Amino acid sequence: MYRLLFSLVITRVPAETAHHLTLRALRVIQSVPGAVPLLRRLLAPRDPGLAVRALGIDFPSPLGLAAGFDKDAVAYEALGAFGFGHVEIGTVTGRPQPGNPLPRLFRLVPDRAVVNRMGFNNAGSEAAARRLRDRRPGTIVGVNIGKTKVVPESEAAADYVASAERLAPYADYLVVNVSSPNTPGLRNLQAVEHLRPLLTAVREAADRTSARRVPLLVKIAPDLADDDIDAVADLALDLGLDGVIATNTTIGRDALLSPPALVKETGGLSGAPLKERSLDVLRRLRARTGGRLTLISVGGVETADDVWERVRAGATLVQGYTGMLYGGPLWAHRVNRGLSRRLRASAFRTLDDARH
């Protein structure tokens, strides 16, 4: 049914308009008394074999929603009720900003992909903190923070610190995003000589402002050279980070089937074409870190088999976003059911067993 709706209706609506309409519908669901608990009873993962202990948190499923969908923490409760084991909000910046000019979100339907150059459009970390301050239990929420566009690279650390101070008390985990291709100069911060002081400052800020130790992760790009991936992994271990999220969107455009005009749109590519590189980066990180970090795998995740493959390759948690755009609102629920079947058919009792 969703495929038919997608083909006949949704593809005729501009991608960002469809996104905003979806967020509006989710907010309506959250406002209806009893709606979120009912959805959670119907759709939340219940197979104990899917439960994962990571970052000091018990996740009901490894599958979460990647950052980028709920940028301003307005719909995470409803999203969690649709079957996601966790929801990562953001990317949130130190100051409010409108993002890049429209249009800035494009569907590449033949490739099951999306190109976005949103530019971290969000209401800022103060607004996100206000929304998260009184959040109810039920959905595990990660918070992804990035650099405000107008802040020069030399002042990036202070900008990240401002967001960390505001948001760490309300985050189940915190992510430093230095890998979006849509903020000029941001990816320069992935270089170890810039990344070390930045992560150190964010860690200190989170520790100052939160009564508990908030897990801290860094999110990297798929376009990093292998030696640079190794360097980030070594730095994460050296600094005592809790994990790495791999990967963000790519600026690559290899072997796409969509019309050239769409393929040539600038921005980050997500979805099926990213699958192979994302898996390669995961395997490299796993080999380099030897299980000492929580690895969250993102990029090209569409099916239960994809999640299974990431877990077997060393991922503790797995995230999707574009897969949901093409799979519909019940996508996470279907993936969790398929993952349960895959686990029962295997020689393993739990996903932790399968990963090790």
Side-chain angles (χ1 to χ4, degrees):
M1 178 65 75
Y2 179 78
R3 288 184 180 179
L4 185 62
L5 179 67
F6 183 85
S7 298
L8 297 180
V9 179
I10 296 176
T11 54
R12 300 177 186 274
V13 178
E16 189 166 352
T17 300
H19 176 78
H20 289 308
L21 289 173
T22 301
L23 281 176
R24 189 175 301 171
L26 290 166
R27 295 180 75 173
V28 169
I29 289 171
Q30 287 184 170
S31 70
V32 176
V36 167
L38 176 60
L39 282 171
R40 188 170 281 119
R41 283 198 296 272
L42 293 172
L43 301 175
R46 283 186 168 74
D47 184 347
L50 299 187
V52 175
R53 177 76 178 174
L55 306 174
I57 304 165
D58 292 315
F59 293 79
S61 160
L63 180 65
L65 180 63
F69 190 87
D70 187 4
K71 292 177 178 292
D72 285 312
V74 297
Y76 59 87
E77 287 185 285
L79 287 162
F82 274 96
F84 288 103
H86 65 282
V87 175
E88 191 171 305
I89 66 105
T91 296
V92 179
T93 54
R95 308 179 196 176
Q97 59 183 25
N100 292 323
L102 299 172
R104 55 193 180 182
L105 186 63
F106 310 89
R107 304 182 191 95
L108 277 61
V109 177
D111 297 291
R112 305 187 312 282
V114 168
V115 169
N116 93 82
R117 53 170 178 263
M118 303 297 288
F120 291 168
N121 55 307
N122 74 108
S125 53
E126 284 189 8
R130 284 196 300 271
R131 293 192 180 98
L132 292 172
R133 189 171 294 135
D134 300 318
R135 72 183 179 97
R136 294 170 289 190
T139 301
I140 296 167
V141 178
V143 177
N144 185 301
I145 59 174
K147 186 182 82 68
T148 307
K149 184 177 181 179
V150 298
V151 170
E153 192 175 312
S154 60
E155 299 174 17
D159 192 56
Y160 279 91
V161 162
S163 293
E165 288 176 339
R166 293 165 184 156
L167 291 163
Y170 315 115
D172 288 311
Y173 67 86
L174 199 62
V175 182
V176 171
N177 183 352
V178 288
S179 51
S180 170
N182 299 317
T183 296
L186 184 73
R187 287 189 169 194
N188 296 338
L189 299 176
Q190 292 177 111
V192 168
E193 63 269 22
H194 300 304
L195 192 56
R196 180 183 290 274
L198 171 59
L199 292 173
T200 300
V202 171
R203 175 74 274 167
E204 291 172 352
D207 290 342
R208 276 197 309 272
T209 54
S210 179
R212 59 189 170 81
R213 186 185 184 280
V214 181
L216 179 63
L217 302 90
V218 62
K219 187 169 186 176
I220 64 172
D223 308 309
L224 281 178
D226 288 346
D227 288 347
D228 292 328
I229 293 169
D230 293 344
V232 171
D234 293 344
L235 176 64
L237 290 170
D238 185 47
L239 293 179
L241 293 192
D242 297 275
V244 177
I245 301 184
T247 60
N248 212 318
T249 57
T250 180
I251 57 174
R253 296 292 190 272
D254 294 338
L256 297 178
L257 303 174
S258 296
L262 286 175
V263 172
K264 291 178 182 177
E265 291 287 356
T266 58
L269 176 75
S270 65
L274 192 52
K275 185 177 301 187
E276 185 176 340
R277 178 57 181 167
S278 176
L279 188 56
D280 287 345
V281 174
L282 169 64
R283 288 173 172 150
R284 189 169 191 92
L285 285 168
R286 174 68 174 188
R288 191 76 177 184
T289 62
R292 289 172 287 172
L293 292 175
T294 292
L295 301 179
I296 303 181
S297 185
V298 199
V301 175
E302 298 181 283
T303 67
D305 287 343
D306 291 332
V307 177
W308 179 260
E309 186 175 32
R310 304 301 171 99
V311 170
R312 295 287 287 145
T316 312
L317 300 170
V318 179
Q319 293 178 343
Y321 177 172
T322 307
M324 181 185 68
L325 300 185
Y326 286 97
L330 299 181
W331 176 74
H333 177 64
R334 289 198 306 272
V335 170
N336 283 321
R337 286 195 305 170
L339 193 57
S340 291
R341 289 193 295 269
R342 187 67 190 261
L343 180 61
R344 287 195 298 270
S346 75
F348 307 105
R349 293 181 59 250
T350 68
L351 290 180
D352 281 336
D353 295 337
R355 188 172 64 257
H356 302 297

